[in-house]
Amino acid sequence: MTAKKILRAFIRHLPVILLLAVILGGVYLIMHYQNRSTAQEEIIQPYGYDGDGKEVVIENDELRLVMDGSTTQFSVEVKDSGKIWYATPQTASTDTLALADEKDKIQSPLLMSYAVVQGLETTYNAYGFSIRNGIYEIEPGENEIRVNYSLGNLEKEFIIPPVITKENFDRWMAQLDKKDVDLIQQYYKKYDINKLGKKDNREELLTSYPVIEQSVIYVLRDTTKEQTRKKMQELFEQAGYTYEDYLADKELDLSEKVSDKPIFNVSVIYRLEGKDLVVEIPLDSLEYRSATPIYTITPLPYFGAGGTGEEGFLLVPEGGGSLIHFNNGKTHQSSYYTNVYGWDMCLRRDAVVHNTRAYYGVYGVAEGDDSFICILEDGSSYASIQADISGKNNSYNYVNAVYSICSREKYDVGDIANSDIYEYLPDPWHENLSQRYRFIDSGSYVDMAKQYGTYLQDEYGSSLALNQDQSTPVVVETVGAIDKIRQILGVPVSRPLKLTTFADAEKIITDLKGAGIDNLSVKLTGWCNGGVKQKVLTRVKAIRELGGTAGLRALSQTAKNNGVKLYLNGITQYAYDSNFLHGFFSFTDAARFLSKERAQLHKYSHITYAERENDDNTYYLVHTDYAQKMADQLAAAGAAYGAGVCFEDTGMDLSSDFYRKNMRSRQSVLKQQEAQLKSLQENGSDIMVNMGNDYAVPFCSMVTGMDLRGSEYTILDECVPFYQLALHGRVNYTGDPINVSGNDAEEVLYSAEYGAGLYFTLMEETSFATQKTLYTEYYGANYDNWKQRMLTIAERYNRELGHTFCQEMTGHENLTEDLSVTEYADGTRVYVNYGYSDAKTPDGQIVPARDYLTIR
């Protein structure tokens, strides 16, 4: 056959060859993941409790912790109030609502789940899978207790010889009837080193049972069932076999037997620090098999849980804060759940129905005149906070934090597999999880918030000193340019469309200052590198159509002359519409998913909730080091123009990075962002961020777009300004832009209740300019249309509340479903009425419908 014929035949069969290659590749992938778990059977050595069950006690001047040695359950006594908080409910074992498994769960100081390659998740509780089996250790210290748990469904130990010499075996069998001897003998295999079978491995037998060199032995078969072992134990006991005999025979067995049942080792450290209980889990102490990675860990899931006969509430970090009253009867509603700092964008998800987000990691419980807050410290970025009420699976109201340990990603293997295939983080990050319980001699959420504020002030020092503002902070965001498709020589090309030039922004500043707005900050959005959908900041170039470098310098000077803070807004974590010509090469500069694929992201459909993969708005999450360089570039540009820096995403979005050569955990990225913001503050930069994650806020002079109310889930009973009570007067913040929020009157009321500044998004062009673009959110942003309304809102707001922004918020109460009151250090009270009819204050004053009233 000629070479040409061979080539033609190859080309003709190429589709079949490629199809076979794909199928074989898929089969290899499945076999790879199925076999990986059994390729190396790891041996996890379980702990064993050898204590006497006595109480273990640690205490200081403030607290006394007493642990039951037989269960590891404990109580914490607050000495000055006498209040005792329990790690698990005292009546859990007799809860009539809970089933058996649920009772084990609520008696557990620790919950853990593991997963397998097919994605199936299984939960183990410490009571049923560790404490009851006695596979734990307690290590008391001077001011701490370490509990080492082994969790697993271990085989029960029976007092029968695992290995026994022929001489001893015959001696015991001589004490039994022949039928009993026949029963026992069929479950032992006889080995004689001089008469081995063809399948017997001599070296392996000598290693596992060295005594075989001196004696013929019997070895218990691994396949012997539990019921049979129980019967054999009775027969050996009848023959006079003792526990001491069993221990002697056990020493003859040096083989390493690996059960196919998963087992896990987790250590928890309890430490007293003043009036705080600190709970720590060293991730380095986790032990598990690669086939069954630990997926989540929940420390103290029912600490302080309230029963059906108790009055109190759960505090959860929804918006500024929300309360769930004990036993509120909403048993048909979904439980509460939120991700601390939102979703990790380096983890894939197929669909998004609703994004959950908490921008601070705190929860709490109040019971009568006592309470505690739990502050998530190390590992807070891996946490989600969940809460539920009594009357569902058990009789308790509880809130806890669940930590993601081994992140995972689902592979698409098409039609060649019967189940999903998941890839897991190979090893936990070398970090710790820690959470701090601070006990408070009050059942008020205001006092709980004040203790959190004290914690923040101790943690961040002068960064959270009281400010000197004597008027309402007002933020005006000007939208510079957006991208719009234009026809150039018949070719559709994306070009910047100006909405507000730098000269227009100068006019807005002059107008607003002249109208009496003193405490004004201006945030420039869409000012560089293509506009709002900004290209990467490898170079920072002011948009020529807006006035270019000269126009921006003139704007900066005008802002300075008028005492206005100017902030240059930029995107530093994502790459939109960028390629190697802009300094971005996705193969080296994009972050990586667990699969090591580039972190290419998509928008999600509001109809199907699935990814819109063909959407033109596809973008990339950038590599962590690349993001830091972009942030440095933005900060340098701000310094060059004499302006502050505003981060569109840093301080709000937080993502890990599985870049092969330099993997970064989400917590390490948090520390990097925190260090960068601190450095900028120390160098004198004014910093603005969006949303305001708790680790970023102390270094900022302004936070915009703070989520004041959150999502008002049905299970929640009250919205309260917990976070704002802790921060007010130390960091300025605003809610959403009033004029484009969809309900400007309600946004003003939120701001009044939560002590927020005012925020407006403006542009010089009319809404017609945004037609046939993807920027419909700016339809209500025209400056001329909003100028008078904005000035009216700002003038009244400043007149009535401007003096409060240098003060601490000292009180808050929801008087009715529609009427709230917020109080400040000088006694100023701000009543907010969300209702559609007038309301009366306790002293008889009228608060108009959908309005606020300030009393000084």
Side-chain angles (χ1 to χ4, degrees), residues 302-497:
Y302 295 93
F303 187 91
T308 53
E310 294 164 312
E311 292 187 2
F313 60 80
L314 310 173
L315 169 72
V316 295
E318 186 61 34
S322 295
L323 307 183
I324 302 174
H325 296 159
F326 284 4
N327 315 307
N328 66 15
K330 300 177 181 179
T331 54
H332 295 294
Q333 303 302 324
S334 298
S335 58
Y336 176 78
Y337 184 90
T338 190
N339 294 303
V340 178
Y341 311 135
W343 186 258
D344 184 340
M345 300 300 286
C346 219
L347 299 176
R348 289 185 194 269
R349 45 186 177 170
D350 295 330
V352 176
V353 176
H354 174 68
N355 271 314
T356 65
R357 168 190 289 276
Y359 48 93
Y360 54 99
V362 183
Y363 65 84
V365 175
E367 187 179 293
D369 295 329
D370 298 277
S371 62
F372 69 81
I373 55 173
C374 181
I375 305 166
L376 309 187
E377 296 184 321
D378 295 338
S380 59
S381 61
Y382 308 128
S384 299
I385 293 173
Q386 57 187 5
D388 211 347
I389 57 169
S390 65
K392 293 184 178 180
N393 298 320
N394 57 60
S395 301
Y396 303 98
N397 307 272
Y398 66 90
V399 57
N400 58 50
V402 54
Y403 295 88
S404 176
I405 304 301
C406 289
S407 303
R408 68 183 183 183
E409 181 177 337
K410 185 170 72 172
Y411 277 89
D412 183 6
V413 292
D415 298 327
I416 61 174
N418 294 325
S419 61
D420 295 329
I421 300 295
Y422 285 82
E423 167 78 352
Y424 291 85
L425 184 70
D427 298 295
W429 304 105
H430 297 293
E431 298 168 345
N432 292 337
L433 306 179
S434 67
Q435 49 192 48
R436 179 179 299 269
Y437 294 81
R438 177 159 292 187
F439 301 99
I440 303 158
D441 301 336
S442 167
S444 163
Y445 61 82
V446 173
D447 293 329
M448 296 165 76
K450 286 303 171 187
Q451 280 297 319
Y452 180 49
T454 299
Y455 169 85
L456 293 174
Q457 292 159 39
D458 292 342
E459 192 78 9
Y460 294 102
S462 60
S463 293
L464 285 179
L466 280 170
N467 64 44
Q468 304 301 313
D469 288 345
Q470 297 296 321
S471 59
T472 299
V474 178
V475 178
V476 169
E477 177 185 21
T478 63
V479 184
I482 58 175
D483 56 289
K484 188 170 185 178
I485 301 297
R486 297 181 179 179
Q487 297 291 331
I488 299 179
L489 298 176
V491 179
V493 179
S494 177
R495 285 287 184 265
L497 172 67

Side-chain angles (χ1 to χ4, degrees), residues 203-216:
E203 295 303 320
E204 188 176 295
L205 287 170
L206 286 170
T207 302
S208 299
Y209 317 111
V211 70
I212 199 173
E213 285 192 286
Q214 289 84 38
S215 175
V216 175

Side-chain angles (χ1 to χ4, degrees), residues 476-479 498-500 504 507-508 511-512 738-740 760-770 775-791:
V476 169
E477 177 185 21
T478 63
V479 184
K498 68 179 179 66
L499 298 181
T500 311
D504 294 333
K507 180 174 75 73
I508 291 173
D511 276 359
L512 297 181
I738 291 170
N739 58 313
V740 294
F760 300 90
T761 296
L762 303 172
M763 64 184 186
E764 182 64 24
E765 295 290 338
T766 67
S767 59
F768 291 108
T770 60
Y775 299 93
T776 55
E777 66 266 32
Y778 298 133
Y779 272 12
N782 177 253
Y783 172 64
D784 290 334
N785 290 344
W786 254 92
K787 176 181 175 181
Q788 196 54 51
R789 169 88 171 129
M790 178 176 62
L791 291 175

Side-chain angles (χ1 to χ4, degrees), residues 213-273:
E213 285 192 286
Q214 289 84 38
S215 175
V216 175
I217 63 172
Y218 287 88
V219 178
L220 182 67
R221 297 181 187 274
D222 293 334
T223 56
T224 308
K225 296 188 178 299
E226 184 174 313
Q227 192 63 31
T228 304
R229 292 176 190 239
K230 184 178 180 181
K231 174 65 177 174
M232 292 168 65
Q233 179 177 263
E234 294 173 357
L235 295 175
F236 271 102
E237 184 179 4
Q238 180 183 326
Y241 192 76
T242 66
Y243 187 68
E244 288 71 24
D245 295 320
Y246 166 71
L247 292 178
D249 288 334
K250 195 174 179 181
E251 290 183 359
L252 303 179
D253 184 6
L254 300 186
S255 64
E256 294 181 332
K257 293 183 173 63
V258 179
S259 170
D260 58 353
K261 297 179 181 179
I263 186 169
F264 309 88
N265 285 343
V266 182
S267 296
V268 185
I269 300 170
Y270 303 104
R271 184 168 57 251
L272 301 183
E273 294 182 3

